[in-house]
Amino acid sequence: MHRSIRNSLALVPLALVLLAPAARGGDADALPPAIRNARAQLLSQFFGQGGASSAVLEYRRKLEEYQAARAAFDAEAGAYWSQISEKRRTRNAKRRSGQQVTLDDYVLEHPPLYNGPKRPVNPEPEETPSRPERKPIPVAADFLRAAQELYQFTPQRPANEVEFKRAYARYARAAGLTREQAVRVYSFETGGTGNYDVQAGIEHGGKRAISTAMGYNQLLTTNSVELLAEQGDEFIRALGAKVAQTSGPARKTLEHKLAVLKRMVAHAKSVPDTWSEHEKIGNTAQGWAMHAMVLDVDVGPMLQTHKLLTSVLFARAKGYTRPLTAAELEMMNLTGDGTGLDMVTMPQAMREQVPTSNFFQRGGYERNPVAIRHNTVAKLLAVTDARMDSNSNNAAAKDLAAAF
């Protein structure tokens, strides 16, 4: 604003000079026509546009163009994404009533993408609205501290990475996961290089966590809470069986771990079994303490296994009996069981035609370059498979395969 005022004031002496004859009572009409016209034009611009500089005027013109283009795009995109939502509701209703979902139940056009002018940069200083300070994302040290403070418990870490991989392979195989599913999903989620305690963002030289996703199958804190609530009885049974087979000091350690696990499961079950309620716990120290179990050599493999196994069982419960490929399982792992199964149950001919936008909300799609580039179900599954193929050749992925 101060710059605009400064520019305006700079024009005032010239304006006064041009006005001077009239102010002294002189005859303005006696001035040459060129001067009269120049004076009139200057005064019109000066007072009509608030004394704005040419750069500001150009900015305002470009801003109007941008706003008009963006409004037109938002109207078109809004109509498209409303149709996506309506088709999704129709598919869900048909599935609930046992009806066959057909190609007509999907939007077959790809979503509009904005390709108009960019928002111009204001040449004048603008006040930047203050953003609320972001809370730091907790990391392993925070999870371990919470577990110690709330439960007086420290997870039992493996002696080395191979020990954890073997524990995971034993439990996963016994629970019903195949080697292909476990190894290829691990390869996709961690690049085929991740350790049991790898966290999103703190990998491949990264310095800052970008989420609480941790481990071979990248569980969030909410995942850990939800799995303890829904599969906790199975975890307690399995750990109890191990306690019964152990003696001496090792048994004492396992008995304490079992007691802590029971308390965690009870707390996870104390709220309604919904993602939103589990997310509330996951964002507290209580949820962090539960998430620390991902690092435990006994409970961690159970959590990693059931992150995938719940999707396998969900598909089976819905009548899909064919074994899920690793790419199909990853779709369910990434998008949620219901949305993922929508893609998985689709015949190949439909996969070639149905855009990936049918399985996203607008914001999620527009921020997902992979879904935009690989814009049909078939292409998305193919690129997922290709990444699994490549990453499965990494040494850590081969170690996991050997553990099976």
Side-chain angles (χ1 to χ4, degrees), residues 76 79-81 83-84 87 103-104 106-112 353-358 365 375-376:
E76 182 185 6
Y80 177 89
W81 289 101
Q83 189 182 15
I84 287 284
K87 291 281 190 178
L103 199 59
D104 290 337
Y106 296 91
V107 177
L108 300 182
E109 296 81 24
H110 295 288
Q353 300 179 64
V354 174
T356 53
S357 53
N358 283 273
Y365 182 86
N375 56 10
T376 65

Side-chain angles (χ1 to χ4, degrees), residues 71 106 154 251 263 332 361 387:
Y106 296 91
T154 299
R251 179 172 180 133
R263 288 169 58 198
M332 297 180 72
Q361 302 295 328
R387 187 173 299 178

